[in-house]
Amino acid sequence: MKNIYYIALASIIVAGSFQVANSAPLTYDDALKLYPQTISAKDFGAIPDDGKDDAEPLRKAIAEAEKLSEKGGVRIVLEPGRYDLLSEINGSALPFVNMKNIMVDGA
């Protein structure tokens, strides 16, 4: 089963299934229906396993997802591999605060 990463209170939670508050768990296919818009972190320069800092490219992908999320669910796709988060802004590498309608999807 593919892991689904979803955002909750400034942290990334790894889950085997996706669940909306006060509802039954959803399958991965059901979750994709809730997040039909897709952006690739790679398109913003986040390249796994290259040894470079991916924080800024991921921040750009998150900012774009926030804009798109006003029109509905957005899925940020991460290619398989290791992402190095070396730089911080305001004490955090990634700004996962007060976000809605965004799913981080990685293999």
Side-chain angles (χ1 to χ4, degrees):
M1 182 172 168
K2 189 171 185 172
N3 285 335
I4 298 173
Y5 299 81
Y6 60 96
I7 309 309
L9 302 176
S11 63
I12 298 176
I13 298 171
V14 179
S17 63
F18 182 83
Q19 186 168 356
V20 177
N22 300 319
S23 68
L26 299 173
T27 66
Y28 181 73
D29 289 335
D30 289 338
L32 291 180
K33 292 174 187 172
L34 292 174
Y35 300 89
Q37 301 176 87
T38 302
I39 61 173
S40 173
K42 190 174 185 179
D43 292 342
F44 294 85
I47 310 297
D49 302 317
D50 66 356
K52 297 179 182 176
D53 186 7
D54 294 303
E56 184 59 28
L58 288 172
R59 284 192 286 266
K60 289 178 181 177
I62 291 166
E64 181 64 20
E66 284 182 297
K67 291 177 195 172
L68 293 173
S69 71
E70 294 175 9
K71 298 177 184 173
V74 180
R75 189 168 54 107
I76 301 173
V77 177
L78 299 175
E79 301 292 325
R82 176 181 158 176
Y83 292 85
D84 296 307
L85 305 175
L86 306 173
S87 62
E88 296 181 358
I89 293 180
N90 298 323
S92 176
L94 301 176
F96 291 131
V97 179
N98 298 322
M99 295 174 63
K100 297 180 182 177
N101 296 326
I102 297 175
M103 177 175 109
V104 179
D105 184 1

